[in-house]
Amino acid sequence: KPNVTVTTPENGTITTDQGKNPPKGTVVTITVTPDEGYETKDVTVVDSMGKKLTVTKNEDGTYSFTMPGSSVKVSATFISKTQVSGGTFSDVTDDKWFAESVKYVVEHGLMVGTSESVFSPDAATTRGMIVTILYRLAGEPEVKSGPFTDVPAGRWYTNAVSWAEANGIVGGYGDGTFGPEDNITREQMAAILYRYARYMGYDVTGTANLNAFIDLNDLASYAKEATAWANASGLISGITETTLNPKGTATRAQVSMILMRFCENVVPSAE
């Protein structure tokens, strides 16, 4: 019998109003109560297949969703009120091109600073970090252990990488390894975002003509379709008008901008 499971969050509480086994089609109301000094960042409901359901924020501050014909998991995350302002990173001043996107990803719990006072915008981003961010976006569904020999149990990225592999979002290097600590390249980023969007059922039909880029031959075959989509979606543009630099690494500042554009341009609005 389909049931509602509430995940116990940190820094707040969640309750639902329709009991453990509401019938299909029932509108379930979720009440979230942040602890003192915290605010609600997001409320997520995923079905038994790990797909996110539409969650509506109500005028009274509660949230609601319609019960599907399968079990669901309800979760919420809370963010400290000091983080809601975007933090006070000494290396992210308002005149920087990435100031808005850093504030966005911090507010939405997608990225955090490398310390309380530093974001490190020029530092590289690893493959494990990107997959973990997408795993959070998907509502952190339950996973089984994955096949990669370099992703042992108990690491901060283990569940995320196992989930991504099981759902065709990552495939590793073809030799049984994933390289979670390797810096992610621009083409890898495009491919992973493309596969994640496809997995979530988002529109991935957009495509751009990349022939203007003189280094197009450097783009790996597996990433061509994904990069054309990412370019058309405004996620990844050239580093110049004629240079794509697909093998270049993506900095934390660049990733913050890509993630903000992904959420704004690709993820459907819940309204």
Side-chain angles (χ1 to χ4, degrees):
K1 192 174 182 180
N3 62 77
V4 175
T5 301
V6 175
T7 302
T8 303
E10 295 182 5
N11 307 313
T13 59
I14 316 173
T15 59
T16 59
D17 71 338
Q18 296 295 330
K20 293 283 188 181
N21 306 105
K24 180 180 179 180
T26 301
V27 175
V28 180
T29 299
I30 307 166
T31 301
V32 291
T33 307
D35 291 344
E36 185 175 354
Y38 287 83
E39 291 185 9
T40 304
K41 179 175 72 67
D42 58 28
V43 176
T44 304
V45 181
V46 296
D47 65 16
S48 58
M49 300 298 292
K51 295 294 181 70
K52 292 175 72 172
L53 304 183
T54 298
V55 177
T56 302
K57 185 173 183 180
N58 304 315
E59 290 186 3
D60 62 357
T62 63
Y63 297 79
S64 59
F65 70 96
T66 301
M67 186 70 183
S70 66
S71 296
V72 299
K73 180 188 291 185
V74 180
S75 60
T77 52
F78 302 94
I79 190 168
S80 70
K81 291 183 177 180
T82 56
Q83 284 182 289
V84 171
S85 66
T88 54
F89 299 123
S90 61
D91 52 0
V92 184
T93 52
D94 288 341
D95 60 335
K96 301 292 187 182
W97 63 267
F98 47 78
E100 180 185 2
S101 61
V102 168
K103 181 178 180 181
Y104 182 94
V105 295
V106 170
E107 285 182 351
H108 289 79
L110 302 179
M111 299 178 72
V112 297
T114 54
S115 74
E116 290 187 3
S117 60
V118 176
F119 185 77
S120 301
D122 296 325
T125 311
T126 68
R127 289 162 56 83
M129 289 176 186
I130 293 301
V131 173
T132 299
I133 289 168
L134 296 181
Y135 182 57
R136 291 175 190 151
L137 271 177
E140 300 187 3
E142 292 183 13
V143 295
K144 297 180 180 179
S145 59
F148 297 121
T149 57
D150 60 348
V151 181
R155 300 290 174 86
W156 58 268
Y157 49 72
T158 300
N159 285 348
V161 174
S162 297
W163 160 81
E165 188 278 333
N167 291 286
I169 297 167
V170 301
Y173 291 137
D175 60 355
T177 65
F178 176 71
E181 303 287 355
D182 293 350
N183 293 338
I184 195 164
T185 65
R186 287 160 55 82
E187 65 184 5
Q188 290 170 359
M189 182 93 176
I192 290 173
L193 286 173
Y194 175 77
R195 294 170 190 156
Y196 173 78
R198 186 175 58 190
Y199 159 78
M200 294 298 293
Y202 302 154
D203 183 5
V204 292
T205 58
T207 186
N209 188 328
L210 303 177
N211 290 333
F213 296 111
I214 60 176
D215 57 351
L216 186 58
N217 288 338
D218 294 338
L219 180 63
S221 58
Y222 76 84
K224 286 183 178 178
E225 183 178 5
T227 303
W229 164 81
N231 186 262
S233 301
L235 307 182
I236 297 178
S237 56
I239 59 171
T240 70
E241 290 185 0
T242 58
T243 307
L244 190 59
N245 192 25
K247 297 291 192 291
T249 56
T251 67
R252 284 171 53 83
Q254 291 168 345
V255 167
S256 73
M257 181 65 74
I258 291 168
L259 289 172
M260 182 178 75
R261 290 172 177 168
F262 182 83
C263 291
E264 292 180 342
N265 300 351
V266 178
V267 177
S269 173
E271 297 180 2

